[in-house]
Amino acid sequence: MIFRAVIFDLDGVITDTAHLHYQAWKETAAAIGITIDPTFNARLKGISRMASLALILRHGGKERAFDEAERARLAARKNARYGELLASLDSRAILPGIPALLDALAQHGIAVGLASVSLNAPFILDALGLRARFDYCVDASLLRHSKPDPEIFLTACAGLGVAPEQAIGIEDAQAGIDAINASGMRSVGIGDDLQGAGLLLPDTGALSWRCLQDFWSTPPRADAPVN
Ligand code: G6P
Ligand code: MG
């Protein structure tokens, strides 16, 4: 199978905004008497805004205390604060290894996609100065299912005009690795606590054109997840 595309997650792969999401959620949760800590926050990686709020309310034993309209207000409050925290974002926040990899992918004619559930993704790519480097970005507002459902990666493949079997997905969240594997793409995980990644790298600094090529030319492991 020919290697034709790489589809990136955003938060934790292109840039790291997890601490800003955490700060904004922490303040929003505190305002309704719920305390969250970094360990809990790790569970929100790759999870959509409303699903994150639902987890926080459950964590605080308050899942029945807020109706839909109140939840929408809480999510809007969190997002407004997150937007304030994002204001200083610029190209210095691009994670190591990413600019060189994007250059190499362009040089070799590999299509580049973005599969982020963040509704702020277009703004973040603009702030990082990277929007033009992506051939297709999934519009998260049109998705029916969140990661670990493969919908977002399948939508990205369709948008790029490639088959999932011709693409690599790169993710830092378990829900994302599960989504990539379920799509029929090959998965690269960033971090140390991910199950089922076809290739697991400690951080984005270890990503390179060479390592993706080597990975592509290695047959999937016999114990790799069945797609
Ligand atoms: C990413 C982050 C999640 C965040 C989600 C939605 O996947 O890893 O922590 O909840 O995006 O982000 P948004 O910007 O739409 O609130
Ligand atoms: Mg992520």
Side-chain angles (χ1 to χ4, degrees):
M1 192 61 77
I2 302 171
F3 172 29
R4 291 188 55 202
V6 176
I7 299 171
F8 291 83
D9 173 44
L10 177 64
D11 288 324
V13 175
I14 302 286
T15 187
D16 199 358
T17 54
H19 59 293
L20 305 180
H21 280 293
Y22 175 53
Q23 180 68 30
W25 275 131
K26 201 161 93 127
E27 292 174 19
T28 307
I32 53 169
I34 298 176
T35 306
I36 60 171
D37 62 17
T39 310
F40 174 80
N41 187 57
R43 290 175 47 199
L44 305 182
K45 242 195 221 180
I47 304 297
S48 73
R49 193 180 308 164
M50 295 312 288
S52 298
L53 176 60
L55 286 177
I56 290 168
L57 294 178
R58 194 186 317 155
H59 176 69
K62 299 195 177 192
E63 65 260 70
R64 284 158 197 251
F66 297 90
D67 65 18
E68 219 173 294
E70 289 164 331
R71 284 177 188 232
R73 270 198 295 280
L74 285 171
R77 174 181 178 154
K78 180 268 174 178
N79 195 52
R81 181 68 180 122
Y82 181 57
E84 283 172 15
L85 296 169
L86 280 179
S88 58
L89 200 72
D90 62 24
S91 61
R92 289 170 298 182
I94 301 172
L95 286 172
I98 296 298
L101 179 58
L102 290 172
D103 286 346
L105 294 174
Q107 267 163 28
H108 291 90
I110 303 290
V112 176
L114 190 80
S116 170
V117 300
S118 172
L119 297 166
N120 292 295
F123 169 81
I124 292 173
L125 280 189
D126 279 341
L128 298 174
L130 289 180
R131 181 89 86 117
R133 313 298 297 271
F134 287 80
D135 301 301
Y136 185 81
C137 300
V138 173
D139 179 351
S141 69
L142 300 179
L143 295 174
R144 298 221 324 247
H145 307 287
S146 230
K147 299 171 188 175
D149 188 281
E151 181 185 11
I152 190 166
F153 284 100
L154 293 173
T155 305
C157 287
L160 292 171
V162 302
E165 292 75 19
Q166 298 173 316
I168 291 176
I170 309 181
E171 263 287 352
D172 70 317
Q174 189 62 52
I177 293 294
D178 295 342
I180 295 170
N181 290 339
S183 76
M185 297 166 61
R186 295 190 67 183
S187 58
V188 173
I190 305 294
D192 51 14
D193 56 353
L194 297 170
Q195 307 299 313
L199 172 68
L200 190 59
L201 301 173
D203 51 49
T204 59
L207 270 173
S208 66
W209 167 244
R210 181 64 191 270
C211 95
L212 291 189
Q213 263 193 314
D214 288 349
F215 171 51
W216 192 261
S217 57
T218 314
R221 295 192 328 260
D223 61 344
V226 179
N227 294 318

